[in-house]
Amino acid sequence: MPLHRQTEMKVTVSLYYETLCPYCANFIVNSLVKVFEKGLISIVDLRLIPWGNGWIQSDGSLSCQHGPDECLLNAIEACAINVYPDVNRHFRFVYCIERLTLEGRHNEWGSCFGEAKMGSSPVDCYNKGNGYMLERKFAGETARLNPPRRFVPWVVVDGQALQEDFQNFVSYICRAYRGSQIPEACTSLPSTIDSFEENSENSVCYAGELNNSTSFRH
């Protein structure tokens, strides 16, 4: 099959998230990483949109649910995604930062350039103001979601918002795939899929909540 045909058949998976939401970090580090296992990435066009529950002030400045550090890291990750469009490259960087977030060490994010074998171009992108422009773009895309995002992580598979069932994203990918090159990740799926809806309130950051640990719903 020609390469362009294979690309057309890929399933688009979009993750709307924010860098310091612990539930986004947990999803990226412990769940979304499955996209790179058992050949699944061969049928996936993975898009990462680091904006989440942020908002734009009347003066054009950006505010983030978990404070200035989150605004900085959202923009740095946006720059990394832009400068290194190969998902295999920028995901390693994003994964590294989100792992540090889970460990309470997000201030050590600079070490992720070495771990992901990246140069400092994302920092140059940020310092030139391009991170701000990318975040404005991501804010607009997030605002146009239909149905609207109610929380993050917010996962969309080929236009379908998974909402509370986001942890079952692999099964949605496999069902949406229309090609013939079925990866092992799809052939090895269990015959029954557990629903995550009942526990979703314990694993998301809701829009409109304050930027401290007491703002999360438990």
Side-chain angles (χ1 to χ4, degrees), residues 43-60:
I43 66 167
V44 170
D45 176 16
L46 179 62
R47 301 179 62 248
L48 303 177
I49 302 93
W51 171 252
N53 296 326
W55 65 97
I56 300 174
Q57 301 281 13
S58 58
D59 63 358

Side-chain angles (χ1 to χ4, degrees), residues 114-180:
E115 184 168 326
K117 298 180 180 179
M118 262 184 196
S120 61
S121 296
V123 174
D124 297 335
C125 162
Y126 174 82
N127 288 336
K128 291 177 181 177
N130 294 333
Y132 171 82
M133 299 306 298
L134 290 168
E135 282 297 279
R136 289 290 299 254
K137 175 185 173 184
F138 286 158
E141 178 179 339
T142 302
R144 291 189 297 271
L145 285 169
N146 185 20
R149 158 204 49 80
R150 292 180 289 111
F151 52 77
V152 289
W154 189 260
V155 181
V156 179
V157 175
D158 265 4
Q160 178 184 2
L162 305 192
Q163 304 195 57
E164 285 83 0
D165 205 25
F166 62 90
Q167 289 283 9
N168 278 326
F169 70 96
V170 173
S171 64
Y172 285 91
I173 292 170
C174 294
R175 288 203 296 265
Y177 180 58
R178 294 292 179 264
S180 59

